Amino acid sequence: MAGNAALEPSMALVPMDPVDAAWYHMDGPEHPAIITAVLLTRRRLDFAKVLALYRERLLGFERFRQRVVERGLPYATPHWEDVDDFELERHMHHVALPAPGDARALQRHVADMASMPLDPALPLWQVQVIDNVLGGGALLMRCHHCIADGTAMMTVASRLFDAPGRPALAAAKRRPAAAPAPAWLA
């Protein structure tokens, strides 16, 4: 009804690229299409600082603020939809490995996480800051392949992390947080 349409928020839908749609449809319990990466650190990570860094540097990539919806007739196809009430905290989690926090405990945790699907009602990514890992910490990032492949994730990583031994890039050199993603990433 036209009267009810005015009450619903207006969200732009962007059709998903056919290759990304194929990755999206391939995903399932037997073949999870989720890229899982682990970054080990010598010291425990400060969760609040990691959260602030992701807020500043990751959210410029619009796909990390969009969920997948299927629309269209006669066949529904995947589209990207902005999440109006996006909350970074729903994607960022702080956990600790059980003692002794060794390599085996980390392997078990990563295997458990890698076997879990991502919530389809949210943008398809998740991060864990992990304490008690080999005397330091770890960062585990999971991202659905339809958002980015391994090469595109290297672009994301270069935005997120500063090179060892080099201070954070000056604000003038960094793209603003609202900068669009490179075309091949989008």
Side-chain angles (χ1 to χ4, degrees):
M1 294 193 338
N4 289 339
L7 300 175
E8 295 178 16
S10 165
M11 290 193 200
L13 291 177
V14 177
M16 189 179 284
D17 175 88
V19 173
D20 295 334
W23 278 110
Y24 178 72
H25 284 131
M26 274 190 260
D27 188 29
E30 300 82 28
H31 184 270
I34 300 170
I35 298 167
T36 302
V38 179
L39 174 78
L40 297 175
T41 61
R42 289 188 179 118
R43 293 185 305 238
R44 182 178 168 271
L45 293 167
D46 181 317
F47 182 72
K49 287 181 180 179
V50 173
L51 188 64
L53 182 126
Y54 269 74
R55 186 176 313 286
E56 174 190 343
R57 298 182 183 186
L58 182 74
L59 297 185
F61 293 107
E62 65 184 356
R63 293 295 179 248
F64 289 89
R65 296 176 279 112
Q66 297 174 322
R67 70 175 147 237
V68 178
V69 294
E70 301 238 37
R71 300 282 195 272
L73 292 175
Y75 302 105
T77 58
H79 289 71
W80 297 107
E81 176 182 66
D82 291 337
V83 175
D84 277 345
D85 60 347
F86 177 82
E87 294 177 32
L88 181 63
E89 293 78 2
R90 295 180 78 180
H91 297 272
M92 306 282 298
H93 308 280
H94 192 188
V95 301
L97 287 183
D102 58 6
R104 186 174 169 100
L106 179 62
Q107 288 171 341
R108 278 195 301 267
H109 181 75
V110 171
D112 288 346
M113 292 306 302
S115 67
M116 293 179 59
L118 294 165
D119 184 347
L122 300 173
L124 298 174
W125 66 277
Q126 178 184 63
V127 169
Q128 287 186 341
V129 172
I130 308 171
D131 294 341
N132 192 33
V133 179
L134 303 168
L139 183 94
L140 176 121
M141 184 166 185
R142 303 176 64 227
C143 178
H144 199 285
H145 204 290
C146 70
I147 291 178
D149 62 12
T151 303
M153 284 304 294
M154 292 306 295
T155 297
V156 172
S158 72
R159 171 97 53 99
L160 282 173
F161 309 115
D162 297 315
R166 187 178 72 185
L169 296 174
K173 291 183 180 180
R174 187 177 312 288
R175 292 182 194 167
W184 55 270
L185 176 62

